[in-house]
Amino acid sequence: MLLSPRPVTLLLTGAAGVGVAAAALPRSGVAAPAATMVGTTMTGTRAAPATTTAARPTTPPAVPTTRRTRTATTTTEQAGTTDRPAGVGRLVGVGSEVVRSVRARILAWVIVLTALGMAGAAGTAYLLETQRIDERIDRSLQQEIAEFAEFHRTGIDPGTGQPFASVDRLLQVAMSRNVLDEHQTMVAFLPDRVFTPRDVVPLHSDPAFRAEATAADAPAFGSYAAPDGPVRYATMPVSQSDRRGTFVVAYFTASEHGEFADVIRTYSLVALVALAVVALAAWLTAGRLLRPIRDVRRTALLISDTDLTRRIDVTGHDDVSELARTFNSMLDRLEDAFATQREFLNDAGHELRTPITIVRGHLELLDESDPRDVIETRTLLVGELDRMSRLVEDLVLLARAQRPDFLRPTAVDVEMLTDDVFDKARALGTRQWRIDQRAQATIAADPQRLTQALVQLAENAVKFTGPDDVVAIGSSANARAVRFWVRDSGPGVAAADIGRIFERFRRGRGAQRAEGSGLGLAIVQAIAEAHGGRAWVESPPGTGATFRLEIPRTTAPSEARGQQREHS
């Protein structure tokens, strides 16, 4: 029988993983501005400052850089580069090794797992196919013995047309009529002679095999280690008229298994090529997956206390891309924190310079022997200290506006909040107080912060209006947002001031006659932005001013603030 090897098909899969890395940022410092008194004048025995100057700097105070520059230069010389911050040369090498090692570990795992899968599939296929080959050989041997038994029982001698008269004639005709399959041989043993087909392996000339094959008195199966390879055989003894013979069918199993071994060798070569392709694909894929992590590392190394503007270009929506987005969000928060810190220090240094100069000047010129001078100086100093205290509180409030715990949102009844603000605002001064409109809606917001913002707007309106002017408060709502406003019939806001009036320490036309630190509208803007909303002013010529706050209804405050930062 001819053996046709069956094809074996394997399905291979690979997997890859990623690692992550993070970097820390250095701290920064700002030099404290120096305060100077320009001059003083003397009136009688009372000395008072005549003129103080505290011009607001147009640029932030210089940061001492001598030590940092020296460190960066040394590191640059060691690394052989001129465009990296201090320590970048060494950290880039370390980071590259980390990323490469992760990439190498991914590749190693992919190769190992793929090779194990291929080897396991090949081993399983080899064992199963070897078992099937042995079973097929046994079935073929059984079939040959069964056909010979049937021929022995019903066969007719072609020479006489009668049943076979002797064992010799039976075995001779059986040998002549059998067509051998590949790797198959037959032999008929008689006490004094042997019958074999033509062109067969001379297994009959092996005395040990002949003795083993003719020893059984009944059909039998067995294995034999012949010089030409292992043999699987079946025997059937026949006898007639005290003449005994043995019919033997044998298969050389090494040849049968050798064909499948060739298939396994071919598969092994193909598997090696496939493993190389899988390794290359895994290497390239791991590099692509780790690219955002390398970008995170490079960006972190290039960030300094003076440059927090760098961001990572993010594409895709997998876990590593989300890592890059999270890193960008972290940089946004850090940049906001650093900017708030610098702005706070700059503002505090600038705005506290004048009252400190005044206090120092009056203390230096104080006549301790004059009770009246002491009382006047004490009153003046207490007033300046109160002004400094309020200024510091306002600056701290603006700094806290960037913190997550700045707001304590609850469900707020807009109509009730409008009435509460109106009741509190009427105590600020004698004006024509009105309520334009009340919105019947509920929003998630911090009622105390909203009240603080609206009362600040009302206080601002009182500063710039007279007793006969109208100051109105109102609120409205739609499906998207809730709006609050405070309008007045005062002189309004100049067109040149509308775009900058909400900035810190900015004062519009007519502000010279109004007291305040110049931070009130900046606080209003900070409260609106903390809620994810905005604040603006409308002031057509001759109609007074209307300050508006818009608070979104459908987005939670924390989420809204994050979205606003991303869009800005």
Side-chain angles (χ1 to χ4, degrees):
M1 298 178 64
L2 180 62
L3 172 63
S4 299
R6 301 180 182 179
V8 179
T9 304
L10 302 178
L11 179 62
L12 307 177
T13 60
V18 298
V20 299
L25 299 178
R27 296 181 296 176
S28 64
V30 179
T36 58
M37 182 174 70
V38 176
T40 60
T41 59
M42 299 293 293
T43 304
T45 60
R46 178 78 175 102
T51 306
T52 58
T53 61
R56 183 183 180 90
T58 57
T59 59
V63 180
T65 58
T66 303
R67 183 176 181 181
R68 180 177 300 147
T69 302
R70 181 166 61 252
T71 303
T73 302
T74 302
T75 306
T76 301
E77 293 174 355
Q78 294 174 353
T81 60
T82 59
D83 58 348
R84 291 176 177 172
V88 169
R90 179 175 57 83
L91 292 177
V92 165
V94 175
S96 300
E97 291 177 2
V98 172
V99 173
R100 284 198 299 268
S101 65
V102 171
R103 195 176 186 183
R105 287 198 298 269
I106 293 172
L107 179 63
W109 276 108
V110 170
I111 292 177
V112 169
L113 294 177
T114 304
L116 289 176
M118 290 179 173
T124 302
Y126 181 81
L127 292 177
L128 293 177
E129 189 63 22
T130 299
Q131 183 179 0
R132 283 195 292 267
I133 291 174
D134 292 337
E135 292 175 352
R136 185 168 61 253
I137 290 176
D138 288 343
R139 287 195 301 269
S140 179
L141 292 175
Q142 292 174 356
Q143 180 181 355
E144 293 292 347
I145 293 299
E147 290 176 355
F148 177 76
E150 180 66 17
F151 181 71
H152 177 216
R153 187 176 63 84
T154 62
I156 300 297
D157 188 344
T160 63
Q162 299 295 325
F164 290 100
S166 66
V167 172
D168 297 49
R169 181 60 176 169
L170 171 67
L171 295 177
Q172 182 183 11
V173 173
M175 288 294 103
S176 64
R177 290 187 174 183
N178 265 293
V179 178
L180 299 179
D181 293 337
E182 189 176 8
H183 313 308
Q184 182 188 41
T185 186
M186 293 182 182
V187 60
F189 292 110
L190 292 166
D192 53 356
R193 61 189 304 184
V194 176
F195 294 107
T196 60
R198 292 176 299 176
D199 302 328
V200 299
V201 178
L203 187 61
H204 62 280
S205 61
D206 186 346
F209 176 75
R210 177 171 183 171
E212 182 175 329
T214 58
D217 295 331
F221 294 86
S223 298
Y224 178 73
D228 296 319
V231 173
R232 181 71 173 166
Y233 66 91
T235 65
M236 182 177 178
V238 292
S239 60
Q240 187 174 354
S241 301
D242 297 330
R243 180 76 165 170
R244 186 177 183 273
T246 303
F247 177 79
V248 181
V249 182
Y251 267 93
F252 289 90
T253 58
S255 299
E256 293 280 357
H257 290 293
E259 293 183 356
F260 183 66
D262 292 338
V263 175
I264 293 297
R265 282 190 291 270
T266 302
Y267 164 79
S268 299
L269 294 176
V270 174
L272 289 176
V273 175
L275 187 61
V277 173
V278 170
L280 177 61
W283 180 261
L284 297 177
T285 302
R288 180 180 178 277
L289 292 175
L290 292 173
R291 184 174 58 190
I293 298 177
R294 293 195 297 271
D295 294 340
V296 168
R297 175 179 54 81
R298 295 192 187 102
T299 303
L301 291 174
L302 294 175
I303 287 173
S304 65
D305 58 342
T306 58
D307 183 11
L308 291 171
T309 60
R310 296 179 182 271
R311 297 295 183 270
I312 302 170
D313 295 332
V314 182
T315 58
H317 301 280
D318 54 14
D319 292 340
V320 181
S321 300
E322 290 301 322
L323 170 65
R325 290 190 180 90
T326 302
F327 186 80
N328 285 340
S329 299
M330 181 193 69
L331 291 180
D332 290 338
R333 294 190 296 271
L334 287 175
E335 185 176 11
D336 291 343
F338 273 73
T340 301
Q341 180 190 37
R342 292 192 182 99
E343 193 171 24
F344 175 81
L345 294 174
N346 293 339
D347 292 342
H350 172 263
E351 293 301 323
L352 293 177
R353 180 183 305 171
T354 299
I356 290 175
T357 302
I358 294 174
V359 170
R360 182 181 181 87
H362 282 283
L363 288 176
E364 289 176 350
L365 298 175
L366 174 65
D367 185 0
E368 298 179 1
S369 62
D370 186 352
R372 180 180 177 183
D373 188 28
V374 172
I375 293 174
E376 290 178 355
T377 302
R378 176 185 178 277
T379 303
L380 185 145
L381 296 184
V382 170
E384 288 300 312
L385 291 176
D386 289 341
R387 187 160 70 91
M388 290 194 327
S389 177
R390 181 177 180 182
L391 177 63
V392 171
E393 289 177 358
D394 289 344
L395 289 173
V396 170
L397 177 63
L398 287 172
R400 287 185 58 197
Q402 302 298 324
R403 293 172 49 179
D405 59 349
F406 178 66
L407 298 180
R408 296 180 180 178
T410 60
V412 178
D413 188 322
V414 177
E415 182 179 13
M416 183 178 298
L417 179 66
T418 305
D419 290 336
D420 289 343
V421 171
F422 179 77
D423 293 338
K424 294 176 181 179
R426 285 191 301 177
L428 297 174
T430 303
R431 299 292 185 272
Q432 300 296 322
W433 293 97
R434 298 177 184 174
I435 290 183
D436 287 339
Q437 181 182 342
R438 301 179 182 86
Q440 295 182 351
T442 301
I443 58 173
D446 188 328
Q448 294 182 358
R449 295 300 183 191
L450 289 182
T451 300
Q452 181 181 7
L454 293 173
V455 169
Q456 178 64 54
L457 292 178
E459 182 180 1
N460 195 66
V462 170
K463 290 179 182 178
F464 294 94
T465 57
D468 296 330
D469 287 318
V470 175
V471 178
I473 298 174
S475 59
S476 63
N478 55 34
R480 187 179 63 87
V482 172
R483 288 186 177 181
F484 299 91
W485 65 84
V486 176
R487 67 176 180 86
D488 62 69
S489 58
V493 180
D497 297 330
I498 290 179
R500 62 187 183 91
I501 199 171
F502 286 94
E503 298 178 6
R504 300 183 183 190
F505 304 109
R506 293 289 186 178
R507 289 168 172 259
R509 177 174 55 87
Q512 292 79 6
R513 64 185 179 90
E515 297 181 357
S517 62
L519 295 175
L521 293 181
I523 292 175
V524 172
Q525 178 80 337
I527 292 175
E529 290 180 351
H531 283 87
R534 61 191 182 104
W536 73 98
V537 61
E538 299 172 356
S539 184
T543 61
T546 302
F547 288 83
R548 299 184 183 275
L549 265 71
E550 184 178 78
I551 308 299
R553 298 184 62 176
T554 56
T555 306
S558 59
E559 296 177 358
R561 182 163 52 180
Q563 292 177 3
Q564 184 185 39
R565 181 162 52 246
E566 291 178 1
H567 295 314
S568 62

